[in-house]
Amino acid sequence: MSNPHSYDGPVIDVSRTSVRYPDGHLGIQDISLALPRASICALIGPNGSGKSTLCRTILGFTRPTSGRVQLLGMTVRHAQKQNLVAYVPQAEEVDWQFPVSVRDVVMMGRQGQMNWLRIPSATDRRCVEEAMARMEITDLAQRQIGMLSGGQKKRVFLARALAQGSRILVLDEPFTGVDAHTEQGIMALIRGLRDEGVTVLIVTHALSNVPQYCDHVAMVSRRLIAFGPVSTTFNQSHLTATFGDVMAETVLSAVHADTSVPSWSLS
């Protein structure tokens, strides 16, 4: 097993991976990509293109039908056991009525480091307080999560990921339902984590933000259309192959004008 701190190979390594569900539905087909350490990668594609399937396979939630996924040179299972992967889900995946406080949610990020009694140590409590302070939610610590705004909810789950101290961070639609100020704060945090050596994968529909925020981009439509540095990969040819002519032109116009494309137009 590799040492995650000295490992210098691809941090997220997907090799010829396919997923076919029991009902015969094809999720993704023969996808390969290798994401380096300390980078931010956008995972983009139309609705139903396999983004979520690929994301869930990388996280170990879905088992590939063929191929393999390695994280920091080890199996997904081993990476999870070492708390090397943190996940910030979409809002729809969370039960906001569950009676738990903001501090409780952030503390969940420390469970893998706790003893078998699940009693937080001084280190656990310190990591939680530091994560909440970094996300500017300390004043919300006792509030029930269902009482928060969309932007506050995103900050809470980012704080949970920070408290976990993982080397890989996967975010599913982090900009949905947040205002411009919160979006900028999220990206400032993500850039800071990248500078600290964290590898970040972002599933996003906010296509016009990709050149501004990301180092790499992976475009999927069941199969991998293109993967590489944003500077050479995020172009009209690849966008057209992924989304079609009209969307490609709309996205590139928005990028050149430094404006945002509303997420509803990307379905």
Side-chain angles (χ1 to χ4, degrees):
M1 187 184 304
S2 63
N3 183 331
H5 298 289
S6 61
Y7 178 73
D8 59 1
V11 172
I12 297 176
D13 188 6
V14 181
S15 178
R16 305 204 65 177
T17 297
S18 299
V19 172
R20 187 176 290 277
Y21 292 101
D23 63 0
H25 175 73
L26 180 66
I28 53 175
Q29 182 174 16
D30 199 30
I31 288 182
S32 297
L33 57 86
L35 192 59
R37 181 186 295 273
S39 60
I40 302 171
C41 179
L43 176 58
I44 64 175
N47 284 349
S49 63
K51 297 188 304 297
S52 293
T53 298
L54 177 56
C55 182
R56 291 179 63 82
T57 304
I58 290 170
L59 290 164
F61 300 158
T62 297
R63 180 173 294 183
T65 307
S66 61
R68 65 163 175 79
V69 177
Q70 289 190 322
L71 304 177
L72 287 159
M74 63 188 75
T75 65
V76 175
R77 182 182 177 186
H78 283 135
Q80 289 175 328
K81 283 186 174 181
Q82 294 191 42
N83 299 297
L84 297 173
V85 188
Y87 175 50
V88 178
Q90 292 191 50
E92 298 82 52
E93 299 179 39
V94 180
D95 179 5
W96 299 110
Q97 301 309 311
F98 191 74
V100 63
S101 71
V102 167
R103 179 176 278 110
D104 291 336
V105 172
V106 180
M107 185 62 76
M108 291 175 187
R110 298 296 304 171
Q111 287 188 355
Q113 286 90 344
M114 293 181 190
N115 60 33
W116 65 276
L117 292 173
R118 292 292 188 265
I119 298 174
S121 66
T123 298
D124 294 325
R125 290 191 290 271
R126 174 178 55 78
C127 289
V128 167
E129 295 304 319
E130 289 177 353
M132 289 194 298
R134 190 166 180 180
M135 292 310 305
E136 300 179 352
I137 57 170
T138 301
D139 59 327
L140 304 175
Q142 300 303 322
R143 192 171 300 184
Q144 197 269 337
I145 56 172
M147 299 172 62
L148 305 178
S149 68
Q152 289 170 336
K153 291 172 180 175
K154 295 288 186 184
R155 288 177 180 272
V156 170
F157 279 87
L158 280 164
R160 183 184 69 171
L162 284 176
Q164 187 172 329
S166 301
R167 308 312 300 162
I168 300 170
L169 176 61
V170 179
L171 303 100
D172 197 353
E173 299 293 352
F175 308 124
T176 301
V178 304
D179 57 26
H181 174 73
T182 300
E183 178 182 303
Q184 291 168 4
I186 290 172
M187 284 315 306
L189 170 73
I190 291 172
R191 287 196 190 103
L193 291 173
R194 175 195 59 191
D195 294 344
E196 295 168 14
V198 177
T199 299
V200 184
L201 179 66
I202 305 175
V203 183
T204 182
H205 277 113
L207 302 186
S208 62
N209 291 338
V210 171
Q212 179 182 358
Y213 293 147
C214 301
D215 308 305
H216 292 77
V217 60
M219 304 181 181
V220 298
S221 185
R222 301 292 178 201
R223 60 187 179 87
L224 186 69
I225 303 299
F227 169 72
V230 169
S231 58
T232 57
T233 308
F234 194 82
N235 57 43
Q236 185 159 5
S237 174
H238 292 148
L239 286 168
T240 298
T242 307
F243 296 98
D245 289 324
V246 174
M247 180 54 59
E249 292 177 4
T250 302
V251 171
L252 291 174
S253 295
V255 170
H256 294 151
D258 193 27
T259 60
S260 296
V261 177
S263 59
W264 52 260
S265 70
L266 304 175
S267 300

